[in-house]
Amino acid sequence: MSIRNQACIAGIYEHPTRNAADISLAALHGDVIAGALADAGLDKGDVDGFFCDSDAPGLGALSMLDYLGMRVRHVEASESGGATYLSQVAHAAEAIAAGKMKVAVISMAGRPRADAAAGGVAPRPFPPSTPDLQFELPYGAELVNEYALAAMRHMYEYGTTAEQLAWVKVAASHHAQHNPLAMLPKVVTVEDVLGSPMIADPLHRMDCCIVSDGGGAIVVVSPDVAASLKQPVVKVLGHGEAVKHQNGGQIDLTFSAAAYSGADAFAEAGVTPSDIDYASIYDSFTITVITQLEDLGFCAKGDGGRFVADGGLISGVGRLPVNTDGGGLCNNHPGYRGGMTKIIEAVRQLRGQAAPQVQVKNCRLALAQAMGGSLGTRHAAATLILERH
């Protein structure tokens, strides 16, 4: 069953905070859900489907539904890291097409800054039963050095340079200057990036995403509900999701699972990379963007560095406008999960509601791409292709 044109995104909301020291995790969820429903012109009583991730407080969706006072007939609490929410849009579309629900809310929230979490520079506290832990933890595997491995391999295989990596951050900063909520709104140069402290060779501090609190929510509805709403809606055209792992030690660090998820999404949508007007690309690190752009077919494998260089991702200047809200590198990366904000900015662009300085003219087709896990070990990828209604 295809989800093409089976559902629409009708409401979006990104929490304005970047430091939630005085807001509980449950309250963040409540805020973003209320905001997305208001944006869609719906209320809590209209919702009959609820989606969240495993970081939702309490017993996942059960505790949240109790807290929110919601009664639904379709529930999903799934986990694929930052890719979770893109996959959940597709899962919601599938359930809508099957007649299981008509209005779904997908919610995420996190407060790592308020909780003083270590981010990507310390091993994550996975339970001792995690099967890969005993093979990696003794060697000091951490998120940032795993991505650094992928970056170094890309440099070795294709001649990618630190300057080319830096251009991803530079483009994000050019967009963030127009976002009043961006955590890092200052425009930076390639020299600034290369002059920032080295975290894990070849990744400098400015090659790494920010750590922020906050969250977001989206409302996915059936076509008949969408037709009754005043807010412009966005059609879901295609989706793909995939997992890439170490394959028993036969791992190739130069590509991501986006090579699989992207191919499926484009096939279902019936479009090609050249048709895309705007792209939200997961940007946990600068190398993440370059790798995914190649894997999605926006350029050939190995050409990603040249594709992003010299402002290649800057709206109105480059080859492909990417992350016009400033992305996870400059704007917001709530709860270490950037997928939700990728969907939200893609919807803004298709509605014509992005910041005027970065709004893509006549934006008709947008792609949102996210990852969860680590490019250097195992990760999920999810791709969404969206169309202006």
Side-chain angles (χ1 to χ4, degrees):
M1 180 182 70
S2 172
I3 64 169
R4 180 184 170 94
N5 295 327
Q6 296 296 314
C8 301
I9 296 176
I12 55 172
Y13 186 78
E14 179 182 1
H15 204 288
T17 191
R18 301 295 182 264
N19 191 335
D22 58 348
I23 312 174
S24 72
L25 186 56
L28 286 171
H29 277 280
D31 288 347
V32 298
I33 290 169
L37 286 171
D39 182 62
L42 297 166
D43 61 40
K44 188 173 67 173
D46 296 314
V47 178
D48 56 358
F50 182 78
F51 294 72
C52 65
D53 57 49
S54 66
D55 279 354
L59 193 55
L62 282 67
S63 294
M64 285 306 307
L65 288 168
D66 187 7
Y67 174 81
L68 296 163
M70 296 172 68
R71 183 181 182 276
V72 300
R73 58 195 182 107
H74 188 90
V75 178
E76 178 178 317
S78 54
E79 188 58 79
S80 54
T84 301
Y85 322 101
L86 284 78
S87 293
Q88 288 177 342
V89 169
H91 301 171
E94 290 166 356
I96 287 170
K100 298 294 185 181
M101 62 182 183
K102 285 184 173 291
V103 179
V105 168
I106 302 172
S107 179
M108 75 80 52
R111 52 196 307 273
R113 289 186 73 195
D115 293 337
V121 294
R124 294 191 172 185
F126 293 114
S129 58
T130 304
D132 47 82
L133 205 64
Q134 61 185 307
F135 298 102
E136 296 173 8
L137 189 61
Y139 300 98
E142 301 166 5
L143 197 65
V144 66
N145 61 29
E146 292 167 0
Y147 275 83
L149 281 174
M152 191 65 81
R153 191 67 194 182
H154 204 280
M155 289 177 161
Y156 175 81
E157 293 286 350
Y158 305 118
T160 307
T161 67
E163 289 79 7
Q164 290 170 339
L165 291 174
W167 270 108
V168 178
K169 170 71 172 187
V170 171
S173 74
H174 275 266
H175 296 148
Q177 68 176 317
H178 305 298
N179 183 349
L181 298 177
M183 189 169 163
L184 299 177
K186 180 182 177 182
V187 174
V188 301
T189 66
V190 169
E191 291 72 24
D192 292 331
V193 179
L194 300 182
S196 64
M198 184 70 74
I199 304 300
D201 194 13
L203 299 178
H204 298 79
R205 183 170 63 194
M206 288 191 185
D207 287 301
C208 308
C209 69
I210 59 176
V211 176
S212 58
D213 298 344
I218 59 177
V219 179
V220 182
V221 303
S222 63
D224 60 313
V225 172
S228 70
L229 302 176
K230 295 180 180 179
Q231 177 71 273
V233 298
V234 167
K235 295 188 293 184
V236 179
L237 281 192
H239 164 262
E241 57 187 293
V243 173
K244 178 173 178 275
H245 49 71
Q246 302 222 46
N247 194 29
Q250 300 179 43
I251 185 169
D252 183 344
L253 293 172
T254 64
F255 79 97
S256 72
Y260 310 126
S261 65
D264 287 345
F266 279 116
E268 184 169 50
V271 300
T272 67
S274 62
D275 296 318
I276 300 299
D277 299 309
Y278 165 79
S280 286
I281 305 292
Y282 203 78
D283 55 344
S284 49
F285 299 90
T286 52
I287 184 59
T288 320
V289 175
I290 288 175
T291 302
Q292 290 172 109
L293 286 169
E294 295 173 347
D295 295 337
L296 291 166
F298 289 109
C299 60
K301 177 55 66 178
D303 286 346
R306 290 178 285 277
F307 186 85
V308 306
D310 302 317
L313 307 184
I314 298 175
S315 184
V317 174
R319 303 169 182 85
L320 177 70
V322 168
N323 299 344
T324 46
D325 61 341
L329 289 167
C330 293
N331 170 37
N332 195 11
H333 194 81
Y336 308 128
R337 298 165 177 266
M340 177 63 74
T341 52
K342 296 296 175 280
I343 303 169
I344 289 172
E345 183 66 6
V347 172
R348 288 191 192 114
Q349 281 286 354
L350 291 169
R351 286 177 171 181
Q353 296 173 350
Q357 301 90 337
V358 299
Q359 176 64 52
V360 177
K361 186 177 181 180
N362 299 321
C363 188
R364 185 182 69 87
L365 285 173
L367 176 144
Q369 170 67 37
M371 286 177 53
S374 172
L375 185 60
T377 54
R378 61 202 61 79
H379 63 271
T383 311
L384 273 180
I385 297 177
L386 308 171
E387 184 180 32
R388 184 179 66 219
H389 195 278

